[in-house]
Amino acid sequence: MRGRTIAGYRLEDEIGRGGMAVVYRAHDLRLGRTVAVKLLAPELARNDTFRKRFAHESRVAASIDHPHIVPIFEAGEAEGVLFIAMRHVKGQDLRVLLDRAGRMPLGTACRIALQVASALDAAHAHDLVHRDVKPGNVLVTDGTDSDHPEHVYLTDFGLTKKSLSLTGFTRVGQFVGTLDYVAPEQISGRPVDGRCDVYSLGCVVFEMLTGAPPFRREEDMALLWAHQYDPPPPLTDLRPDLPRGVDAVFARALAKAPDDRYGTCLGFVTELRAAGRAPAPGEAQGSPEGDVPAPVDAARAAADSRPYPGPPPPPRWATPMFPGRPD
């Protein structure tokens, strides 16, 4: 396809490939700019199910004007080929960054997660659920300044569907999603809403902090079983440098029942940041970045000198994590 012109876009290098589409860097011959053009994979072009899903992605993404969702310039069909032309984002996806650098500091993970969460909550406000939140769908490019070193885009709305709907563009029995990050209700075929994306984002952030998703199994069926029935491992078992409070945050984000999770993605990340400000065992208080001391406040220091009254009781959803405490 390299060198071919489709709908006024001359295709250049292939920059991405997924299960149903190929993405090229392309030159917009009309406006003289570089864009990204997504084409439906040729072997799927004759499948009405995938054609409808591809067209649905363009309508969904184009309907949301948000700084962390990749803007769509044009979508349609030309010469029998379905295409979407969108902004070309210079940078790498989160999958590449994690494979190269491994786990991240809490502050970096929270900065990236906040931007993804903002995009997801904007989609949920339109009664749309992404359903395939994963590192490969998070694009990371340079930010504006030292306080905002990354700018993040969420992409690939090809698996979105209306909230609380059991119908869509999949055949009966056909599972869509990525197994490492899939919510239990997706696996069992129950209705989904934005809390499905809260679970998937929780899995992604867990991987950002530890270098691996919360559930790792050799067989796909064992992995699906783990998402539905196994409790997630405490994150601090893998990151003992982080405060214990982050375990309760992930226990709620990765709860099996949607009603037990955070109601929004921003709610999850906000509580994670707050938990990250607490000192890890044996360490002094610090910022969520993990490497910048918290500012000293005289009044706060005086208050901190009073006898410690003991930790507050955990919220009801966290009580199973504190054996021996009454409900």
Side-chain angles (χ1 to χ4, degrees):
M1 298 290 287
R2 191 176 189 276
R4 181 175 174 181
T5 298
I6 295 178
Y9 302 100
R10 187 175 63 240
L11 305 182
E12 297 176 347
D13 295 331
E14 180 180 320
I15 56 177
R17 179 179 290 268
M20 70 175 189
V22 182
V23 182
Y24 292 89
R25 186 176 66 251
H27 183 69
D28 184 341
L29 298 177
R30 291 162 294 186
L31 298 179
R33 61 182 173 179
T34 298
V35 301
V37 174
K38 176 180 284 191
L39 305 179
L40 189 66
E43 62 270 22
L44 300 176
R46 294 183 296 273
N47 184 305
D48 287 341
T49 296
F50 284 94
R51 288 172 66 90
K52 290 177 181 178
R53 190 186 305 164
F54 188 83
H56 179 64
E57 174 183 344
S58 65
R59 290 196 301 271
V60 171
S63 70
I64 306 172
D65 182 13
H66 192 275
H68 299 296
I69 294 177
V70 176
I72 300 296
F73 299 141
E74 184 182 5
E77 184 172 357
E79 303 176 30
V81 178
L82 290 169
F83 73 94
I84 298 177
M86 66 193 83
R87 175 179 293 173
H88 178 254
V89 177
K90 295 181 180 179
Q92 296 176 310
D93 64 52
L94 184 58
R95 173 77 277 145
V96 172
L97 296 179
L98 288 172
D99 289 343
R100 184 180 66 195
R103 67 187 194 180
M104 298 179 173
L106 179 61
T108 303
C110 284
R111 283 198 310 269
I112 293 173
L114 276 171
Q115 297 177 63
V116 177
S118 176
L120 287 169
D121 285 349
H124 300 161
H126 286 72
D127 196 29
L128 296 165
V129 184
H130 191 283
R131 296 206 312 156
D132 195 26
V133 180
K134 60 182 180 181
N137 285 337
V138 177
L139 306 179
V140 184
T141 187
D142 291 338
T144 55
D145 51 51
S146 59
D147 291 330
H148 306 87
E150 311 93 4
H151 188 91
V152 174
Y153 292 97
L154 180 65
T155 188
D156 201 351
F157 280 83
L159 298 179
T160 57
K161 66 189 293 186
K162 286 287 183 180
S163 297
L164 302 178
S165 170
L166 287 174
T167 62
F169 300 138
T170 57
R171 295 173 178 168
V172 175
Q174 182 182 27
F175 175 78
V176 291
T178 305
L179 298 190
D180 282 332
Y181 316 97
V182 64
E185 59 268 31
Q186 289 178 263
I187 299 169
S188 61
R190 288 174 287 162
V192 300
D193 60 19
R195 295 169 297 181
C196 159
D197 290 337
V198 171
Y199 184 95
S200 298
L201 180 61
C203 291
V204 171
V205 179
F206 192 102
E207 181 174 2
M208 292 165 68
L209 293 172
T210 67
F215 301 107
R216 300 299 299 270
R217 303 292 188 272
E218 292 185 2
E219 302 293 334
D220 287 349
M221 290 303 297
L223 180 56
L224 294 175
W225 177 275
H227 278 295
Q228 293 187 89
Y229 302 111
D230 292 349
L235 185 136
T236 57
D237 284 358
L238 303 170
R239 286 289 302 270
D241 58 307
L242 297 181
R244 292 289 182 185
V246 302
D247 291 334
V249 175
F250 278 98
R252 183 177 179 186
L254 300 179
K256 305 305 180 187
D259 287 345
D260 295 333
R261 296 181 204 140
Y262 294 97
T264 65
C265 293
L266 281 172
F268 156 55
V269 182
T270 298
E271 287 213 7
L272 178 61
R273 284 170 59 91
R277 295 188 181 99
E283 293 185 0
Q285 174 75 36
S287 75
E289 297 293 337
D291 54 4
V292 180
V296 176
D297 182 274
R300 182 174 179 181
D304 289 344
S305 66
R306 294 195 298 265
Y308 179 55
R316 182 172 297 277
W317 53 261
T319 52
M321 299 193 63
F322 296 83
R325 289 194 177 187
D327 291 333

